[in-house]
Amino acid sequence: MAATDKQDFIPPGEAGPGPLLSVEGLTTVFELPSGRLTAVDGVDLAVAGGDIVAVVGESGCGKTMLSLSVLGLVPPPGRVASGRAVFAGRDLLALSERERRAARGAKVSMIFQEPMTALNPVLPVGEQVAEPVRVHRRASKREALAAAEAMLAKVGLPDPARVLSRYPHELSGGQRQRVMIAMALILSPQLLIADEPTTALDVTVQRQILDLVEGLSRDAGTAVVLVTHNLGVVAQVADAVAVMYAGRLVEDAPVALFFDGPAHPYGQGLLASLPRLADRGRRLAAIPGMVPNLSRLPSGCHFHPRCPRAFGPCAGEVPPLFSLAGGRRVRCWLYA
Ligand code: SF4
């Protein structure tokens, strides 16, 4: 019996009406000699089975740290200080290391930004893609390699039969990225966390990968957390958008509502900096200033030094998340 069969994850389709992944008050800190940095600050996020939630924000806003935290992969000296990440009825952060490793193989997958860190340099690619099938489905070596070849074809690698015997260093960066995506998707996980999965790929392959992820969420009911800085990708595939700034969730909304007009001034700035055909030749509106350093976070609303609408309470008090119509939440005093 595979290790994951012994766990109490609720099987797909039996999880009831609630979200498949429920992140509650997740806080991740780094204890440094200079003091404590809070990289993820009390984030709540819910993802239903079959939904794609895009986590957006500039580099350094805590998107990647949030996804690593959900999977218990925060690098030292960081640690999850509080909160839960309940997936299919179990808190992923309360699993033993062995349970977590087993879950990551079969039910939960992550696509990382850097494929070389996820691939074993001394094993042929085919064995690496086939391994989860052998371990978790108890397939023969031949069956597993056939499944690997089919998956490599699905992620758009030409001549997948030949790629099976290649080593990671013999492939280009874009090919390695696709191998890693094949590994992550081959068991149709129930939860997929994809961190900038298509950044290194050209537009055609990017579309192919996004189609695969969409198909997985639609057909297998997978809950997908898609971390990206690319709002064009969000508009194509996401059901909902979660905007992060300086470690905090500042807005989340169904995707149509967000693109109709973000409520939070930071989301408004992000959308205004998205190039559109009509904007050709015109200067894009960039958000003034920089994402703050975690060791010198502004007081109150962390966005206040860059916010064109900052007023009375913004510098002094942390705004809570206000619930608005249509299932939108926004962390901004304008909505008090
Ligand atoms: Fe701007 Fe104030 Fe809203 Fe922060 S709370 S986004 S500073 S208006």
Side-chain angles (χ1 to χ4, degrees):
M1 184 190 279
T4 45
D5 295 341
K6 294 175 192 157
Q7 294 178 28
D8 298 319
F9 288 106
I10 300 167
E14 293 177 25
L20 193 53
L21 174 69
S22 181
V23 175
E24 298 160 11
L26 194 60
T27 298
T28 299
V29 299
F30 283 75
E31 308 283 1
L32 301 177
S34 52
R36 172 185 279 205
L37 304 187
T38 304
V40 177
D41 189 357
V43 169
D44 293 325
L45 190 69
V47 189
D51 271 3
I52 300 177
V53 173
V55 179
V56 304
E58 295 160 287
S59 298
C61 280
K63 312 186 294 285
T64 293
M65 202 47 69
L66 172 65
S67 43
L68 292 173
S69 302
V70 168
L71 296 181
L73 293 174
V74 178
R79 65 184 172 86
V80 173
S82 57
R84 308 197 306 159
V86 179
F87 160 68
R90 291 203 66 183
D91 182 3
L92 293 175
L93 302 177
L95 300 180
S96 69
E97 193 44 46
R98 187 171 155 272
E99 287 173 318
R100 192 175 296 152
R101 260 202 312 273
R104 278 209 295 267
K107 299 183 185 294
V108 177
S109 273
M110 180 163 181
I111 301 171
F112 296 90
Q113 283 177 41
E114 180 38 66
M116 274 316 258
T117 56
L119 296 175
N120 184 334
V122 298
L123 262 191
V125 156
E127 283 186 37
Q128 299 191 53
V129 180
E131 194 197 342
V133 185
R134 294 192 65 188
V135 172
H136 295 287
R137 298 240 171 100
R138 309 187 114 218
S140 69
K141 186 169 182 184
R142 236 175 84 196
E143 289 165 339
L145 282 173
E149 186 180 336
M151 197 66 227
L152 290 175
K154 280 192 191 170
V155 295
L157 278 166
D159 203 355
R162 271 187 57 199
V163 173
L164 287 178
S165 57
R166 294 289 172 86
Y167 289 86
H169 73 270
E170 297 178 297
L171 303 177
S172 70
Q175 288 171 327
R176 284 196 291 264
Q177 181 76 1
R178 280 178 276 173
V179 167
M180 193 176 53
I181 293 168
M183 279 169 70
L185 303 188
I186 196 161
L187 291 179
S188 299
Q190 278 178 268
L191 171 63
L192 173 68
I193 297 189
D195 189 353
E196 304 282 6
T198 59
T199 304
L201 305 175
D202 69 47
V203 175
T204 318
V205 178
Q206 180 173 315
R207 184 64 253 181
Q208 211 169 351
I209 299 298
L210 293 174
D211 284 348
L212 264 180
V213 171
E214 262 188 309
L216 182 70
S217 81
R218 189 183 54 236
D219 302 335
T222 301
V224 180
V225 177
L226 177 67
V227 174
T228 181
H229 67 279
N230 185 335
L231 287 178
V233 166
V234 176
Q236 284 176 54
V237 300
D239 297 290
V241 183
V243 184
M244 286 195 69
Y245 188 77
R248 291 182 184 151
L249 183 79
V250 296
E251 178 167 1
D252 71 356
V255 74
L257 213 52
F258 180 79
F259 281 99
D260 270 357
H264 196 280
Y266 179 59
Q268 291 165 1
L270 286 179
L271 199 58
S273 59
L274 182 69
R276 294 186 182 84
L277 275 181
D279 296 328
R280 262 197 279 180
R282 233 193 296 158
R283 219 180 141 78
L284 292 173
I287 305 170
M290 309 270 289
V291 174
N293 186 316
L294 290 180
S295 63
R296 288 190 300 276
L297 284 175
S299 59
C301 169
H302 293 330
F303 188 56
H304 82 260
R306 303 174 75 188
C307 180
R309 304 185 65 188
F311 67 112
C314 301
E317 293 173 65
V318 180
L321 269 174
F322 296 103
S323 293
L324 308 186
R328 192 196 308 251
R329 295 183 305 164
V330 60
R331 189 184 292 282
C332 172
W333 285 119
L334 291 170
Y335 301 90

